[in-house]
Amino acid sequence: MGIVEGLLSGFLQAVSLDVFPYLFVGAVFGLLIGVIPGLSGHFAMAMIIPFLYSMDPAPGIAFLLGAHSTVAQGGGLTAIFFSTPGTGQNAATLLDGPPMRDKGLGAMAAGAALTACFLGATFGAVALALLLPVLQRIVLFFGPPEIFVLALLALTFVAVLGKEDIVRSLIAALAGLLLAMIGLDNVTNTERFTFGWLELHDGLELVPVILGLFAVAEMFELWVKGGSLSGPQTKMLSTRETQKQIFQGIITAFRHWWLILRCSSIGAAMGLIPGLGSAPAAFVAYGHAKQSSKTPEEFGKGNIEGVIGSEAANDAVEGGALASTIAFGVPGSSSMAILLGALFILGVETGPNMLTYHVDVIFVMIFTIIIGNFIGMVGGMFLVNPLSRATGLRASILVPVLLVIVFTGAFAVQRSFFDIGIALLFGVIGYLMKVLGYSRAALLIGFVLGFTVEKNLYLAVQLSGPDFIFNPIPLTLASITVVFLAYNVWTIIRDRGQSKTTRAEQQE
């Protein structure tokens, strides 16, 4: 299927009556989830996964990506009004969003943030569309040896570039690979780590694992913290004043179109690198906005350019992240790992097959991101006040309700109480990992990539022998992996040495 034909087909599917209702509901759901602190895009995607088993690819993708695309918009509202980022990717918005609120310009910051998210997401989606001709050629050079080494590189990037400790993140990634080996071996049909449980012969189901790691773990944390989700309440503006300021923010964002374009480029480029994610991209874009501003001294005190730059970047990341996921089947973030698992459930194969025969599915994703963010922008304009009040719900009320929904979703996949137990087990594991600083994203990506790593390693050895690693592309990727890992290990050792020297000097 050609690109032009795929573009037209993807657009018609996205706006059809069979797909658009799911896109709309998903976008509204993501906005609601994003505005509640602690419930991230992972939670929104995990809650939708169980519904995909009975859906066709286009509606399923629109439902899932529609929810994911608007989470950052909801999170930006919470960051501005309550000084609490709804998601980690909105952390950079805390630098200038709350100060604007304190000046009485919170709704204006919200309008600018919603618009910047929409424009940034549109830029990232367009960048993905423009990359398709290049990806269609590059992907032809990637066979089993290249995919195997690329998957290891992605795991290294996720472990090293995450906010958690590098050693603990690498342990989590390797643990994910081990978890993927549970069940019958694909080649020898030998049982591995089943412990005599018949339910484990087919391996761990993706849905209860995702629900446990992210949804149940977040509920445990909310229950432990208790109290109100939003913390100290902030005085709300009247509805009329809120809408007036939001439109002012929208106009201001369009006036800074050149800043949005630059920061969106930063986000899209960083999205191509596995493991970086939205939060680092937002902070890099914020730094660029401050550096290029005519009034850098106002940053941190309520400068709307800081809100616009960070919010544009954190949504533009998704276009770049989708590119590596679609082309190579290698997710660059935990969100993309969930998306990859969802594509498996929907029967959609990534890689050369998708880029050649299912270009329309890619454009469904692209238009879902654009339309979903537009819905989020419009919805956010009119729902600032009610969505803000939703954060005042006590955890003691919210947690039991959401846990019932989560366990129902885990049970619905195979109508098995065993899966509820798996979700609960991984909920405990996910909560402990979060408390102890282990990367849940690395564990999930290792688990999702486990089948890819094992299959492609076996095929690489069969096709090229044990020395396949010395082929040009695998050798280059392996060298990048080793150098990147060695540099970061050396940086840690150097910093620890400097820290010991500083402490010794202070004691003297």
Side-chain angles (χ1 to χ4, degrees):
M1 178 179 289
I3 291 179
V4 176
E5 183 182 356
L7 186 153
L8 293 174
S9 176
F11 175 75
L12 292 175
Q13 289 183 64
V15 298
S16 68
L17 293 177
D18 293 330
V19 176
F20 183 77
Y22 291 100
L23 198 165
F24 181 84
V25 172
V28 174
F29 176 69
L31 188 66
L32 289 167
I33 292 298
V35 84
I36 301 176
L39 303 185
S40 63
H42 309 118
F43 182 89
M45 298 177 80
M47 294 293 287
I48 288 175
I49 287 281
F51 296 97
L52 301 183
Y53 284 88
S54 59
M55 299 178 69
D56 293 329
I61 290 171
F63 195 17
L64 189 72
L65 274 184
H68 178 62
S69 64
T70 57
V71 168
Q73 291 174 309
L77 296 178
T78 308
I80 292 167
F81 286 109
F82 299 103
S83 302
T84 304
T87 66
Q89 65 199 80
N90 299 113
T93 308
L94 290 173
L95 299 176
D96 278 293
M100 287 192 68
R101 175 205 63 203
D102 295 339
K103 293 179 179 179
L105 300 174
M108 181 178 179
L114 291 168
T115 306
C117 276
F118 166 65
L119 296 177
T122 300
F123 179 92
V126 172
L128 171 60
L130 295 176
L131 282 173
L132 283 181
V134 179
L135 292 174
Q136 286 177 326
R137 290 174 173 81
I138 292 177
V139 76
L140 297 177
F141 295 99
F142 280 74
E146 291 78 12
I147 294 294
F148 167 71
V149 182
L150 183 63
L152 295 182
L153 176 62
L155 286 174
T156 304
F157 268 62
V158 170
V160 172
L161 296 175
K163 62 182 179 180
E164 294 85 0
D165 178 77
I166 178 176
V167 176
R168 296 180 181 183
S169 296
L170 286 173
I171 291 173
L174 293 175
L177 289 176
L178 287 174
L179 288 172
M181 294 182 183
I182 294 176
L184 299 180
D185 181 84
N186 297 313
V187 179
T188 64
N189 212 35
T190 304
E191 290 186 27
R192 300 181 301 189
F193 309 115
T194 60
F195 307 104
W197 287 84
L198 183 63
E199 291 86 352
L200 291 178
H201 279 201
D202 291 330
L204 292 170
E205 286 292 327
L206 179 65
V207 174
V209 171
I210 293 175
L211 289 173
L213 279 177
F214 294 100
V216 178
E218 296 295 341
M219 292 300 97
F220 285 167
E221 185 179 35
L222 288 178
W223 183 265
V224 171
K225 288 181 178 179
S228 174
L229 288 172
S230 59
Q233 295 296 318
T234 302
K235 182 179 179 181
M236 300 298 296
L237 297 172
S238 67
T239 302
R240 182 176 180 180
E241 184 63 25
T242 296
Q243 298 302 327
K244 181 179 178 181
Q245 284 198 15
I246 286 177
F247 282 113
Q248 291 176 345
I250 293 173
I251 294 172
T252 303
F254 277 105
R255 286 177 178 170
H256 288 86
W257 64 271
W258 179 231
L259 173 64
I260 290 177
L261 185 63
R262 298 197 310 271
C263 292
S264 297
S265 301
I266 292 172
M270 293 183 69
L272 288 168
I273 303 174
L276 281 180
S278 300
F283 278 103
V284 171
Y286 179 87
H288 169 73
K290 181 177 180 179
Q291 189 178 37
S292 60
S293 175
K294 296 180 180 179
T295 56
E297 69 281 356
E298 295 181 3
F299 276 69
K301 301 177 182 178
N303 193 318
I304 199 169
E305 293 178 39
V307 175
I308 292 172
S310 59
E311 289 293 322
N314 67 31
D315 259 31
V317 166
E318 300 308 322
L322 270 173
S324 60
T325 304
I326 291 170
F328 308 111
V330 177
S333 66
S334 52
S335 296
M336 291 299 104
I338 295 174
L339 174 64
L340 187 61
L343 293 177
F344 289 154
I345 293 171
L346 293 169
V348 178
E349 182 181 354
T350 57
N353 185 59
M354 175 178 279
L355 291 170
T356 304
Y357 302 108
H358 301 289
V359 180
D360 59 325
V361 175
I362 299 175
F363 277 102
V364 169
M365 296 181 184
I366 291 172
F367 286 114
T368 292
I369 293 174
I370 296 173
I371 299 172
N373 271 271
F374 180 77
I375 293 171
M377 181 182 71
V378 175
M381 288 171 54
F382 296 100
L383 295 177
V384 167
N385 286 330
L387 288 178
S388 297
R389 294 191 184 96
T391 63
L393 288 173
R394 296 193 308 274
S396 59
I397 296 176
L398 187 63
V399 170
V401 174
L402 291 178
L403 280 179
V404 169
I405 297 173
V406 168
F407 289 140
T408 301
F411 174 80
V413 176
Q414 295 187 107
R415 300 185 181 277
S416 169
F417 287 101
F418 183 81
D419 287 341
I420 295 179
I422 294 296
L424 182 60
L425 173 64
F426 275 90
V428 175
I429 293 173
Y431 174 71
L432 293 176
M433 290 180 70
K434 192 170 184 179
V435 171
L436 299 175
Y438 286 82
S439 173
R440 292 178 297 167
L443 177 70
L444 178 61
I445 292 177
F447 178 68
V448 172
L449 287 180
F451 177 77
T452 300
V453 169
E454 184 178 9
K455 180 185 72 174
N456 285 283
L457 175 60
Y458 174 77
L459 292 175
V461 172
Q462 293 297 313
L463 293 173
S464 306
D467 59 346
F468 72 87
I469 195 69
F470 296 106
N471 293 338
I473 296 180
L475 182 60
T476 302
L477 294 174
S479 300
I480 293 174
T481 304
V482 173
V483 170
F484 184 73
L485 190 59
Y487 173 76
N488 281 273
V489 171
W490 174 79
T491 301
I492 293 173
I493 295 174
R494 181 196 63 189
D495 292 343
R496 289 180 178 176
Q498 292 176 349
S499 178
K500 290 181 180 179
T501 303
T502 302
R503 285 199 301 267
E505 291 177 351
Q506 289 176 349
Q507 291 175 355
E508 294 177 358

